[in-house]
Amino acid sequence: RYLRYDLKGSMDIAMEVMKVMEKNKDFPPQMRSSVLLQIAQNQAALKQMPDAERNFLRAYDEMLQYSGGSECGNLNLVIYACNLMDFYQETGEYDKFAEWLKRSEHEFKFFEEKSKTRRDSSLVEEYKAHLAIYRAMLLQGTGHTREAMAVYNAIPRSRIRYTFVID
């Protein structure tokens, strides 16, 4: 429903699921974090910014609990931080955006290190580019247009997105 922009329907479903989860504490934190993230996204789209921020932060904390804490190398922490960066860009809070970008880049270093023993090179490359785009967005949003363009232009072409060519 959220993707169809039925925000009320999406919010109603997410709130019902959250009620069930609050009654039954056996639900794993990653499930709770996903529902909180959905609620926050709905609230942001509905311009309920204080509630959205609170739920984005709660979703991150739940994912942090699930992953075993910071510096664990869990890519989900990077992704949840990116949701917060999107939110702070929308609200124009670039100081908070910068804080979450720093946190995300820090966490990403641990994911990248763990990935050396696995075959995640394309995923590492993709998220490295993703974080560079966020860096460029922060620079652009804070009036550093030339620096933003330099960062953006230095991002390598994605192997994931350009693996398949459709004629």
Side-chain angles (χ1 to χ4, degrees):
R1 290 191 177 207
Y2 177 80
L3 294 175
R4 291 183 298 203
Y5 216 68
D6 176 6
L7 301 176
K8 183 183 178 334
S10 178
M11 182 67 94
D12 289 346
I13 291 168
M15 295 303 279
E16 276 302 311
V17 171
M18 187 53 73
K19 284 179 191 175
V20 170
M21 287 183 169
E22 287 174 353
K23 287 180 185 174
N24 182 349
K25 299 296 182 186
D26 292 334
F27 283 95
Q30 75 270 27
M31 288 180 70
R32 295 175 56 79
S33 67
S34 294
V35 175
L36 284 166
L37 183 62
Q38 187 63 52
I39 290 169
Q41 289 171 331
N42 277 298
Q43 290 169 324
L46 292 166
K47 304 299 182 206
Q48 299 169 356
M49 298 312 194
D51 291 335
E53 181 179 28
R54 182 174 39 81
N55 283 313
F56 275 123
L57 292 168
R58 285 179 59 204
Y60 183 87
D61 286 342
E62 289 281 344
M63 184 53 67
L64 189 64
Q65 177 186 336
Y66 164 70
S67 67
S70 66
E71 302 181 359
C72 65
N74 189 313
L75 186 59
N76 286 318
L77 291 175
V78 175
I79 293 167
Y80 275 61
C82 288
N83 280 282
L84 278 152
M85 288 184 284
D86 289 335
F87 175 77
Y88 290 128
Q89 180 190 26
E90 185 176 326
T91 61
E93 296 176 82
Y94 288 101
D95 55 334
K96 290 181 181 179
F97 183 120
E99 174 187 323
W100 281 94
L101 178 58
K102 183 178 179 181
R103 185 181 232 170
S104 189
E105 289 171 335
H106 178 77
E107 196 63 46
F108 181 75
K109 287 179 187 175
F110 295 95
F111 172 74
E112 188 175 16
E113 187 61 36
K114 267 179 68 175
S115 296
K116 289 179 182 176
T117 60
R118 301 184 311 231
R119 295 185 177 208
D120 295 338
S121 64
S122 292
L123 193 57
V124 166
E125 186 179 297
E126 189 68 22
Y127 272 89
K128 196 177 282 188
H130 200 68
L131 292 174
I133 290 170
Y134 275 105
R135 167 106 10 235
M137 289 165 48
L138 175 61
L139 288 165
Q140 178 67 35
T142 55
H144 299 93
T145 304
R146 285 184 188 199
E147 295 93 330
M149 194 57 117
V151 168
Y152 185 77
N153 287 333
I155 298 169
R157 187 174 176 178
S158 168
R159 282 193 292 156
I160 292 176
R161 281 190 235 143
Y162 296 103
T163 299
F164 302 101
V165 178
I166 300 172
D167 293 323

